[in-house]
Amino acid sequence: MKRSVLTRYRVMAYVTAVMLLILCVCMVAKYGFDTGADLTFVVSQAHGVLFMIYLAFALDLSSKARWPFGKMLWVMISGTIPLAAFFVERKVRAEVEPLVNDSLATARA
């Protein structure tokens, strides 16, 4: 597996997680303090587009890592739970990094 597959996933996991946290803050401002409706709309639209890209990269990574369906689903759903994507990304990186290193070692031999 190429390192770029893991890198793409990691970048989108962080971007999606940060955007979700920003969206949560915007939602609190919108519904708790009745302000920021326009900003909430823009952030929610941006998060939606970024989340779709995250799903595509997570699907690509899961197919190349040959994960079972349940694991793939958990990684995809983690992008919808605030803070979960940070923890899942760390676990995924620890699991997939040896596959990347083995692939590089095999290519060099």
Side-chain angles (χ1 to χ4, degrees):
M1 174 186 330
K2 292 183 179 180
R3 181 170 297 282
S4 62
V5 174
L6 179 59
T7 303
R8 286 189 310 224
Y9 164 77
R10 291 184 67 201
V11 167
M12 286 312 298
Y14 279 115
V15 169
T16 303
V18 168
M19 284 301 293
L20 183 58
L21 291 175
I22 293 170
L23 180 60
C24 288
V25 170
C26 288
M27 296 295 274
V28 168
K30 179 180 177 182
Y31 292 110
F33 302 103
D34 199 29
T35 184
D38 294 334
L39 179 62
T40 302
F41 177 76
V42 171
V43 171
S44 66
Q45 296 296 309
H47 173 69
V49 170
L50 292 170
F51 183 68
M52 288 187 281
I53 296 169
Y54 167 78
L55 290 177
F57 288 162
L59 180 65
D60 183 38
L61 178 67
S62 68
S63 68
K64 290 185 173 134
R66 296 189 176 125
W67 289 339
F69 180 74
K71 182 174 186 123
M72 177 191 70
L73 191 62
W74 169 241
V75 169
M76 290 180 166
I77 290 174
S78 72
T80 64
I81 304 168
L83 299 176
F86 293 112
F87 297 107
V88 172
E89 182 277 330
R90 179 177 280 187
K91 187 175 178 183
V92 165
R93 182 190 50 79
E95 181 181 321
V96 174
E97 193 77 31
L99 297 175
V100 171
N101 292 337
D102 289 345
S103 173
L104 291 175
T106 304
R108 290 181 186 158

